[in-house]
Amino acid sequence: MSLRKAHRGAWLAVGAVVLGGTGVMAGTGAAAYAADATPAAPTADFDRDGTADLVVATPRASGSKGSVTVVPGGTGGPAAGKKKTLTQSSRGVPGVSESGDEWGAATAWGDIDGDGNADLVIGAPGEDDTSGHKDRGAVTMLYGPKFTSGTDMQLSEDFAYGGARFGSAVAVGDFDADGKADVFAAATGTGGSWSARFAAGRETAGTVTSGDRAIAYADAASGDFNGDKYADVALTYRDAAGKGKVVWFKGTRSGLSRVSTLTAKGGRSVAAGDVTGDGRDDLVIGQPYTSESGAHAGGQVTVVPGTSSGLSSAGATTVHQASPGVVGAAEAGDALGWSVAVGDVDKDGHADVLAGAPGEDITRADKSRTDAGTSLLFKGTASGLTGAGALAVSQDEPDVPGSTESGDRLGSAVSLADFDGDGRADLAIGADGEDEGTGTVLQLDTDASGTPVLRSGVYYGRTQLGTPAQAHLGESLTP
């Protein structure tokens, strides 16, 4: 018997109807029009200084209560001395900090209140409610620049609460192009569900699959995949049969509607950016495992291009460690694509892709360091992603500070963003296994050619960020 009930109006925009659990809005005709207003620009800048700010989330900190550390960018890169550490016990943060909440399991930036400052969205899929429903989950929205006020987003009463794990994935974008960013959140319990919030009291929701068995490893990204100025969303997950899937949702004047499941396989991570340089965002899918995604041994990264009609698997390009120009060897267990990020490192108008491979074994002095991890920087081109000129970054590279150790898992999370304001994306790479699970983040600048400056490497670890031991710092990075 299904645990889900029909969706009622409490979650819907005025005049919208949810058809067949898909969240398609009927009777509006909005899809036929381009945006009239100026859509909210994507932003990761909470203090409006022109640099991207780094979110380092540690959902396993302090008995999985979870915490989030915001490190503002600056002319010298992320400034640890100006960090803001947030928990559910912080002033103005909704909720109560409790063991198992996993606050910070998913995070996203965006200007939700339209004041020009990036706001922070935080998923807590392990949140229990006061009625005894374990792992119901919740989503917190905190308003920049102070993060001392905000609100929360709860799973609708129309879904089964227990084990829903709402907030497993979040994304932010201006889905209705009204000048303020909106929030997308996914739950993995009972077949999966999704919801989108456009304003207080204006939300919509739907199901991810038609079954009741839980999905897993959800991740979401927002971008304008069809160039109509409405932000869209892509959600990847592993279905109950263990196969990776990607479903995408289209932004319209009246909100967000589910479109279809792509023929391209899902994975463990997604990111959005204009890899081909045609003015439309493309979808980058990290596919670390053959069994889930049909990936090449050791994992791969696939780019699904945006077109005038949205995402099209027909023109997808794929790179892996056996592709021409890619350093290293493709080996089972490398998990290339565990994490992916998108940004333009050389200002050529094509977004480039940084992909983590935390399962990479590295041999030094005839000794193998198991799961030491690495990351690969791939260049974007008009025809998609290419292996030509790919660069590897690991703690075993000359000039990179630190040393390679078994279990470091460098590449557990990655970010590409302009942290120093020079117009080029810089690198941030998590190593959540460093020092027996205490974790760290390696940040590298890029030069005028888009090449990572290895000797510029700076670590943001427990000493710099004040996170507790065994917090697995580097598990999650945003943007």
Side-chain angles (χ1 to χ4, degrees):
M1 177 174 134
S2 175
L3 297 177
R4 289 171 294 180
K5 297 178 283 183
H7 305 295
R8 295 193 292 272
W11 269 90
L12 304 180
V14 175
V17 179
V18 168
L19 303 176
T22 64
V24 176
M25 296 183 180
T28 65
Y33 299 94
D36 294 326
T38 300
T43 179
D45 184 4
F46 80 86
D47 52 8
R48 301 176 69 176
D49 69 347
T51 64
D53 304 312
L54 180 65
V55 178
V56 183
T58 46
R60 287 191 275 179
S62 306
S64 293
K65 290 180 180 177
S67 65
V68 171
T69 303
V70 179
V71 188
T75 55
K82 297 180 179 179
K83 70 181 185 297
K84 295 175 180 282
T85 300
L86 303 168
T87 71
Q88 285 183 290
S89 298
S90 299
R91 180 170 66 92
V93 176
V96 178
S97 186
E98 300 167 320
S99 295
D101 283 349
E102 301 173 59
W103 197 70
T107 55
W109 280 122
D111 185 9
I112 298 168
D113 56 5
D115 66 354
N117 301 95
D119 307 309
L120 185 56
V121 176
I122 303 165
E127 181 85 23
D128 302 338
D129 68 16
T130 57
S131 300
H133 298 108
K134 184 174 175 58
D135 295 343
R136 176 178 173 176
V139 173
T140 303
M141 291 166 281
L142 298 177
Y143 302 123
K146 295 183 177 180
F147 307 115
T148 55
S149 64
T151 186
D152 57 14
M153 184 175 172
Q154 299 289 339
L155 181 70
S156 167
E157 63 183 17
D158 301 319
F159 295 94
Y161 290 165
R165 295 187 61 79
F166 183 63
S168 292
V170 296
V172 176
D174 193 356
F175 310 139
D176 57 4
D178 67 349
K180 294 182 180 180
D182 311 306
V183 179
F184 174 93
T188 58
T190 57
S193 59
W194 63 275
S195 62
R197 178 189 185 275
F198 310 101
R202 181 170 174 245
E203 303 174 358
T204 189
T207 58
V208 176
T209 74
S210 59
D212 285 329
R213 296 172 61 190
I215 60 176
Y217 301 111
D219 192 27
S222 179
D224 184 3
F225 301 129
N226 58 2
D228 63 356
K229 300 187 184 303
Y230 293 97
D232 310 307
V233 172
L235 173 70
T236 186
Y237 62 93
R238 191 181 73 181
D239 69 12
K243 301 302 180 182
K245 300 290 180 65
V246 178
V247 61
W248 80 282
F249 304 81
K250 181 179 178 179
T252 69
R253 183 181 297 172
S254 57
L256 197 68
S257 60
R258 176 174 173 159
V259 180
S260 65
T261 299
L262 299 179
T263 56
K265 302 300 183 185
R268 296 293 179 95
S269 59
V270 285
D274 188 5
V275 175
T276 59
D278 65 354
R280 291 182 286 261
D281 286 325
D282 309 304
L283 180 66
V284 179
I285 310 171
Q287 300 164 317
Y289 300 117
T290 303
S291 59
E292 293 177 1
S293 309
H296 193 280
Q300 65 186 30
V301 177
T302 294
V303 174
V304 178
T307 72
S308 59
S309 58
L311 293 172
S312 173
S313 300
T317 56
T318 296
V319 293
H320 43 69
Q321 285 182 289
S323 297
V326 179
V327 295
E331 300 167 321
D334 288 347
L336 177 65
W338 178 271
S339 57
V340 292
V342 175
D344 189 355
V345 299
D346 53 7
K347 296 200 293 186
D348 67 349
H350 298 278
D352 308 299
V353 175
L354 182 64
E360 176 86 10
D361 300 340
I362 295 177
T363 299
R364 177 166 40 86
D366 297 325
K367 181 179 179 181
S368 177
R369 272 72 174 175
T370 305
D371 295 342
T374 190
S375 60
L376 290 167
L377 180 62
F378 299 106
K379 293 299 183 69
T381 72
S383 57
L385 209 58
T386 179
L391 299 172
V393 178
S394 77
Q395 290 175 297
D396 211 50
E397 299 295 324
D399 296 326
V400 174
S403 59
T404 300
E405 300 169 324
S406 292
D408 281 350
R409 285 179 40 83
L410 185 77
S412 53
V414 293
S415 178
L416 274 181
D418 184 10
F419 299 121
D420 58 11
D422 65 358
R424 295 186 300 270
D426 307 302
L427 288 69
I429 307 169
D432 67 1
E434 177 88 12
D435 293 337
E436 298 181 345
T438 293
T440 192
V441 177
L442 171 64
Q443 195 272 310
L444 298 164
D445 299 332
T446 51
D447 64 18
S449 69
T451 302
V453 182
L454 301 184
R455 61 173 54 89
S456 73
V458 176
Y459 284 98
Y460 297 81
R462 184 185 182 192
T463 300
Q464 292 76 22
L465 301 186
T467 50
Q470 283 73 57
H472 296 274
L473 178 66
E475 177 179 355
S476 175
L477 299 174
T478 297

